[in-house]
Amino acid sequence: MKVVETVAELRAARAQLSGTVGLVPTMGALHDGHLSLVRAAREDHSAVIATIFVNPAQFGPREDLSKYPRTLAHDLQVLEKAGVDLVFTPSPDVIYPRGFQTWVDVTEVTQRLEGEARPGHFRGVATVVAKLFNLTQPDGAYFGQKDAQQVVVIKRMARDLNFPLDIVVCPTLREPDGLAMSSRNVYLTAEQRAVAGVLYRGLNAAGQLYASGERNPERLRQQVLRTLRGEALVGPEYVSAADAVTLEELHTISLDPLLLSAAVQIGSTRLIDNLVLPLELNNRADLSRVMGG
Ligand code: PAF
């Protein structure tokens, strides 16, 4: 496995890869969820490039950029074991050199949900991902379902800017109590961790309600909220039942795939999670097709 830090090294190493290339962009602090993206990319392509870059542009002024977990040595070890061919680990000035002033702004699907809670976040995500697509020229790029709105934004950007690649969405990997794997879970204290599974329990309870025939989006949202309110340490921020393509909040019964998502605050940690309904769609092929259209 080759590890490179500069644009020139990356371009040279990319030119050596033959066949199709799958890209797995990450911010490091890798867990099994990331490795499932690598496995999917390995299955689909002749070569896999992973990137590790904690992107300052997607953190707000009051967010966790300086304390975001950084575990580079461990990350490189697991990527090598997973069969990655090339890893790009740029520093911030490689991605945003002095004088940098060009941004990618996806204007509509970024307005609500995470976009409302984290102004500027998706501009940072779209810009860095567009740069990584340009730099690595992949045939497919792999993202986790957990960051559902990110997937929708990236798909929109890839279509609008004519990036010739497939966006593949891999299902969320979960801990035994249902908590979605996330690099930010390490921030939870033992007491907070013990109740964090409620986020999935709430979404799943609404998923079961849907499976039993309920199609009223408001009743689905209320089911999630009722479950979340059962845990005193958990502060619900939003619960959304939205169209999985446009992310518009649904107010009437819908036959289309629905993105049920929620954000909660537990102590100083903010967690997000989602399920696509019907529940049978939460697999790689269907998620890649229905999320963001
Ligand atoms: O999902 C992430 O880890 C990041 O948002 C990404 C896609 C690597 C862009 O920095």
Side-chain angles (χ1 to χ4, degrees):
M1 183 179 81
K2 205 170 170 58
V3 183
V4 297
E5 291 176 15
T6 68
V7 167
E9 288 170 328
L10 175 64
R11 287 200 198 281
R14 169 67 182 89
Q16 301 293 309
L17 299 175
S18 53
T20 63
V21 168
L23 171 69
V24 181
T26 81
M27 298 209 298
L30 302 183
H31 49 68
D32 286 352
H34 294 110
L35 294 183
S36 75
L37 307 182
V38 172
R39 268 195 304 278
R42 264 261 69 96
E43 274 167 37
D44 295 348
H45 296 286
S46 338
V48 178
I49 303 179
T51 64
I52 299 178
F53 178 61
V54 183
N55 175 30
Q58 69 188 75
F59 287 77
R62 278 182 298 279
E63 293 183 19
D64 55 348
L65 173 62
S66 63
K67 70 175 178 113
Y68 194 84
R70 287 163 170 86
T71 57
L72 185 61
H74 161 267
D75 294 347
L76 293 177
Q77 247 174 34
V78 297
L79 290 176
E80 175 144 45
K81 212 162 142 213
V84 168
D85 300 277
L86 174 59
V87 186
F88 181 43
T89 61
S91 58
D93 58 316
V94 166
I95 297 293
Y96 303 111
R98 196 205 293 240
F100 184 90
Q101 51 190 288
T102 305
W103 298 94
V104 178
D105 211 353
V106 181
T107 54
E108 281 172 35
V109 288
T110 52
Q111 292 305 304
R112 303 188 46 258
L113 307 173
E114 291 305 289
E116 203 171 324
R118 307 180 66 187
H121 170 69
F122 287 119
R123 181 188 196 236
V125 170
T127 302
V128 80
V129 170
K131 287 185 63 111
L132 294 173
F133 286 175
N134 279 328
L135 288 166
T136 60
Q137 305 277 304
D139 299 280
Y142 292 73
F143 297 90
Q145 173 192 1
K146 192 188 70 81
D147 295 303
Q149 191 173 9
Q150 166 169 286
V151 166
V152 174
V153 170
I154 290 170
K155 269 201 177 175
R156 187 70 257 166
M157 176 197 74
R159 270 202 297 269
D160 289 352
L161 299 185
N162 304 104
F163 282 105
L165 81 175
D166 295 326
I167 305 293
V168 181
V169 187
C170 297
T172 303
L173 256 61
R174 300 184 179 282
E175 304 291 352
D177 67 346
L179 176 66
M181 288 188 188
S182 162
S183 307
R184 289 188 165 95
N185 292 350
V186 297
Y187 298 151
L188 297 169
T189 64
E191 194 189 6
Q192 293 164 350
R193 174 64 192 84
V195 299
V198 72
L199 181 50
Y200 173 70
R201 280 208 310 282
L203 293 167
N204 192 44
Q208 300 305 332
L209 204 58
Y210 184 98
S212 67
E214 179 62 74
R215 290 292 181 276
N216 183 325
E218 185 51 25
R219 289 203 202 104
L220 299 173
R221 286 188 282 265
Q222 288 305 325
Q223 176 63 59
V224 182
L225 265 177
R226 259 197 309 283
T227 314
L228 295 177
R229 288 193 180 124
E231 290 291 357
L233 290 180
V234 174
E237 192 182 289
Y238 66 74
V239 175
S240 159
D243 181 289
V245 176
T246 62
L247 298 186
E248 274 163 28
E249 205 60 32
L250 294 171
H251 297 291
T252 54
I253 290 169
S254 164
L255 296 176
D256 293 332
L258 185 153
L259 179 71
L260 187 66
S261 64
V264 297
Q265 194 77 32
I266 307 186
S268 57
T269 304
R270 191 168 174 278
L271 299 178
I272 58 172
D273 200 353
N274 69 83
L275 286 173
V276 169
L277 303 183
L279 289 169
E280 298 73 47
L281 295 179
N282 292 267
N283 63 75
R284 181 174 9 147
D286 285 323
L287 291 172
S288 304
R289 184 173 54 80
V290 303
M291 289 177 80

